[in-house]
Amino acid sequence: MKKIKCYNYKIDKNDFVNAGKVSSEIKKNLKKIGFTNRIIRRIAVISYEGEMNIIIHSEGGEIDFEIYEDKIILKINDKGPGIDDVNLAMTEGYSTAPSEIRELGFGAGMGLPNINNCSDNFNITSSKNGTKIESTICLE
Amino acid sequence: MKRTFYLEKEKCMGCTNCMRKCPTEAIRIVKGKAVIDDDKCINCGECIRVCPYNAYTSITDKIIDLKDYKFNIAIPSTTVYGQFTLGTEICKIHNALIGLGFDYVYDESWAAELVTKAIKEKVISDKILRPKISSNCPAMVRLIKIKYPGLLENIIEIEAPMEIAARLAIKKAKKIDKTLKDEDIGVFYISPCPAKTLSVKEPIGKDKSYINKVISLKEIYGDMVRELKMHSDRCFSNPSLTGLKWSISGGQTDACDFENSIAVSGLENVIDILEEIEMGKLEHIKYLEILSCNGGCVGGTYNFENPFVANSNIKHILKNIKEERLINDDIEKYKEFKKEGYFDIAIHEDIEEKKPNIKEAVEKMERIEKIYKKLPKLDCGSCGAPTCRALAEDIEEGKKTIDNCVILKLEEK
């Protein structure tokens, strides 16, 4: 199916000032297009967790938000340092976030599992050059 | 009816104050006068509050309407108790209403206590979808319907205290005079805001309201003050302390006494918190109280007293009444009322979902984006739209033209 539109958002590491802005922007656009509430809810969670992961854990990265006629794909890519054990990171409650971040209310170890739970298709690859997540939500 | 106030056109100066404050961007200035889009208006009353020229007038019933019924009941909103000088006894306020011609006064606070019980049970038994959101403020229910439809299912489907009070009051009236029929009884609510007035005239989640007439507090405030002065009799007030708290921000959550609950008042604050919930961030919160007005219902636009002063007056009452003397036989009948469906409303049924035409919608967004790029992004409001983005949308829909932008016109010269 044809790609209708693609949005690209850059995210800086440790940028807590703007934290949540990208996912909020994505959510706003989804609402304007008129997607159903269930779809919006799922994508809002995925993009928010993805955005926070980049801010907290990575050297910075970007989110590509692609709209197709029958699906939406979110590509959440960062510039490293990568996840040592991806399987462990996918476990609910497992977290490597430092204590000062946990004090801010983040880093509960639910990020990746949440993204996985909200996706119809979830793919993750990680090396020290970066982590790439591709999350697909089917519209039908 | 979709709105319980109107604009007096000759008073409107087209100043844009209301337009900028409107949380749903429902107001535009057309030919120098404010125009409200009724499909977007949630009746929160912000425009009434900020208008420097008092151009907005409430639609209210009047004391003269008492003549339409044989037996008249007044249900003053619990906020009314905070509107008179510190230490004014609740019973005196009730007597003032009797003095104005009412036959009976029912205290809304007892209904609020019953509703508190119903909320507690619901939140404990229904663990799906957190946080549960309070349905008490009708402006907030409408806000969620219009701007956050995805959260409609979080709203707790429990009737508001004012309606429960009306049903209990009708029961009491029929007990007092056994010959009374439904049509003989007039139930009047003394309202602190346009939203509650609308919830009677155009109810959400049910077919009809048990309240017949709504008088805005400002409409009868003067008469009440005069009546209060005429009676010097000592009397004994009997409110529910749990229910009385409902009039101030944090009162509902306090009454429910949940471990994880949040109380938010004021439109901007509510919008912030709803945005967070949409991101799935507050699922650990059991109950969320949201009230449109700063400080809670005491901040309603039809109130007379400053909300902070009213808050202190209410707290004074809460502190100075001896709890052990308070009784209301309706409280013991909670289970009976629940069985009879007193607390049931159906807000979730209103959820309408249409499949979008993605391509068309994206194209429309791109057209808007293109127009928006040309605009100065000052959000000055001079064009009659609240923001440059709103103007871009209006232009795309053919409601306005780019010539409406004053800044661009000045640059041309």
Side-chain angles (χ1 to χ4, degrees):
Chain A
M1 282 272 198
K2 233 177 72 197
K3 196 193 283 183
I4 297 175
K5 177 94 187 163
C6 176
Y7 296 89
N8 172 275
Y9 302 95
K10 303 257 183 292
I11 298 160
D12 293 332
K13 84 175 212 189
N14 265 325
D15 185 7
F16 281 95
V17 176
N18 289 305
K21 280 210 175 134
V22 168
S23 31
S24 168
E25 188 70 30
I26 290 175
K27 191 179 74 184
K28 221 182 266 166
N29 284 333
L30 290 168
K31 275 186 166 183
K32 280 199 177 141
I33 295 171
F35 284 106
T36 56
N37 298 323
R38 236 160 268 266
I39 297 277
I40 295 174
R41 224 180 165 120
R42 286 165 62 196
I43 297 174
V45 171
I46 295 168
S47 55
Y48 179 72
E49 297 289 5
E51 182 181 3
M52 294 317 296
N53 274 350
I54 294 177
I55 292 172
I56 296 169
H57 298 287
S58 83
E59 295 297 322
E62 56 189 11
I63 294 182
D64 279 328
F65 166 49
E66 302 174 351
I67 303 171
Y68 295 79
E69 271 169 37
D70 60 339
K71 66 187 171 201
I72 283 171
I73 298 179
L74 281 142
K75 289 177 181 158
I76 304 159
N77 299 329
D78 68 45
K79 293 184 263 187
I83 303 167
D84 285 338
D85 186 340
V86 172
N87 283 334
L88 199 54
M90 291 299 295
T91 319
E92 291 191 10
Y94 177 80
S95 175
T96 58
S99 62
E100 65 265 27
I101 296 225
R102 286 171 186 246
E103 274 162 24
L104 289 169
F106 301 107
M110 290 306 292
L112 289 178
N114 266 347
I115 296 177
N116 187 19
N117 289 341
C118 290
S119 313
D120 289 316
N121 214 319
F122 176 84
N123 228 311
I124 181 166
T125 55
S126 188
S127 73
K128 64 177 191 306
N129 297 325
T131 301
K132 291 184 192 310
I133 294 170
E134 193 174 303
S135 158
T136 308
I137 294 95
C138 300
L139 296 176
E140 238 60 50
Chain B
M1 185 189 281
K2 282 194 169 168
R3 192 150 33 89
T4 56
F5 59 92
Y6 64 95
L7 180 80
E8 289 183 66
K9 273 203 164 170
E10 46 305 336
K11 284 190 187 168
C12 176
M13 306 293 281
C15 70
T16 75
N17 274 301
C18 59
M19 179 183 78
R20 290 152 177 282
K21 260 286 178 184
C22 178
T24 57
E25 298 194 334
I27 303 176
R28 296 289 184 275
I29 310 294
V30 181
K31 291 182 187 144
K33 306 284 173 194
V35 177
I36 302 179
D37 180 346
D38 281 340
D39 290 333
K40 286 188 188 162
C41 176
I42 59 168
N43 276 253
C44 63
E46 279 305 305
C47 48
I48 306 176
R49 199 195 311 276
V50 298
C51 179
Y53 308 104
N54 290 320
Y56 287 102
T57 305
S58 63
I59 298 169
T60 170
D61 294 313
K62 296 192 159 65
I63 285 291
I64 201 170
D65 296 320
L66 291 173
K67 69 173 179 3
D68 295 349
Y69 305 92
K70 253 200 209 154
F71 189 93
N72 289 294
I73 300 164
I75 302 175
S77 151
T78 46
T79 58
V80 172
Y81 305 143
Q83 303 301 312
F84 305 93
T85 41
L86 187 75
T88 304
E89 292 264 353
I90 287 178
C91 54
K92 274 186 132 184
I93 296 167
H94 289 185
N95 285 344
L97 287 164
I98 300 282
L100 289 178
F102 287 100
D103 301 294
Y104 185 73
V105 182
Y106 193 90
D107 194 324
E108 193 192 17
S109 63
W110 290 104
E113 181 167 335
L114 286 167
V115 174
T116 305
K117 272 192 175 179
I119 291 174
K120 270 181 156 172
E121 280 187 12
K122 185 91 164 190
V123 171
I124 290 167
S125 67
D126 178 359
K127 293 194 169 63
I128 314 162
L129 272 188
R130 290 276 165 94
K132 293 283 176 238
I133 301 177
S134 161
S135 63
N136 180 48
C137 176
M140 296 298 89
V141 175
R142 281 175 207 271
L143 176 74
I144 289 177
K145 269 185 96 169
I146 290 173
K147 272 185 94 169
Y148 304 95
L151 301 180
L152 213 47
E153 281 182 283
N154 290 61
I155 298 181
I156 203 157
E157 288 184 302
I158 287 181
E159 186 56 283
M162 59 194 277
E163 288 293 333
I164 305 288
R167 290 180 79 168
L168 298 177
I170 294 167
K171 259 192 165 183
K172 282 264 182 325
K174 285 180 176 167
K175 229 181 208 173
I176 293 167
D177 180 348
K178 292 202 169 63
T179 64
L180 287 175
K181 295 194 192 75
D182 282 336
E183 59 269 29
D184 299 330
I185 304 169
V187 182
F188 287 66
Y189 185 69
I190 316 295
S191 175
C193 66
K196 293 206 168 169
T197 306
L198 189 69
S199 79
V200 170
K201 309 282 176 188
E202 184 92 10
I204 297 181
K206 55 184 173 266
D207 299 332
K208 66 165 192 105
S209 167
Y210 284 87
I211 295 163
N212 302 96
K213 302 272 179 187
V214 188
I215 302 182
S216 81
L217 176 66
K218 273 200 177 145
E219 168 70 23
I220 55 162
Y221 188 74
D223 294 334
M224 284 184 76
V225 171
R226 272 187 293 278
E227 276 297 326
L228 275 171
K229 284 191 178 143
M230 277 159 63
H231 302 278
S232 56
D233 49 323
R234 300 184 67 192
C235 56
F236 159 54
S237 297
N238 181 20
S240 151
L241 296 186
T242 307
L244 198 54
K245 290 179 189 164
W246 276 60
S247 57
I248 52 182
S249 168
Q252 274 179 58
T253 49
D254 199 18
C256 288
D257 199 26
F258 292 128
E259 213 172 285
N260 284 321
S261 58
I262 301 182
V264 183
S265 73
L267 266 165
E268 284 103 346
N269 302 329
V270 169
I271 286 173
D272 279 351
I273 208 100
L274 293 180
E275 294 279 346
E276 297 218 2
I277 297 172
E278 270 195 327
M279 302 284 199
K281 278 164 78 177
L282 296 174
E283 278 162 16
H284 61 292
I285 301 295
K286 274 191 187 140
Y287 187 67
L288 173 70
E289 166 196 319
I290 45 172
L291 298 168
S292 180
C293 299
N294 267 314
C297 295
V298 285
T301 40
Y302 295 166
N303 285 323
F304 175 82
E305 191 55 273
N306 173 293
F308 297 96
V309 177
N311 178 311
S312 137
N313 289 346
I314 297 273
K315 285 197 172 142
H316 180 88
I317 298 173
L318 286 170
K319 244 190 183 159
N320 287 288
I321 286 184
K322 288 195 181 69
E323 204 164 345
E324 62 274 14
R325 290 170 63 195
L326 307 180
I327 18 156
N328 178 305
D329 50 4
D330 283 335
I331 291 298
E332 288 134 41
K333 295 183 201 141
Y334 168 73
K335 281 199 175 125
E336 184 187 314
F337 299 144
K338 198 184 169 191
K339 231 187 207 164
E340 286 175 43
Y342 274 49
F343 303 104
D344 299 343
I345 46 167
I347 294 170
H348 303 170
E349 279 172 16
D350 287 350
I351 302 168
E352 243 181 85
E353 296 227 84
K354 275 182 285 175
K355 239 183 104 189
N357 185 328
I358 301 167
K359 220 175 151 192
E360 248 173 51
V362 169
E363 280 166 11
K364 183 179 172 173
M365 275 170 61
E366 279 173 352
R367 284 195 299 275
I368 293 169
E369 199 58 37
K370 221 171 148 187
I371 301 165
Y372 178 66
K373 275 193 181 138
K374 289 185 210 157
L375 299 174
K377 298 166 194 71
L378 295 173
D379 294 344
C380 70
S382 307
C383 60
T387 59
C388 287
R389 188 162 291 279
L391 175 62
E393 286 167 9
D394 285 359
I395 294 171
E396 199 277 335
E397 285 171 18
K399 290 177 189 158
K400 281 196 153 80
T401 68
I402 198 130
D403 290 340
N404 284 98
C405 179
V406 179
I407 307 292
L408 283 184
K409 275 219 157 152
L410 279 173
E411 279 173 3
E412 264 174 39
K413 284 179 188 170

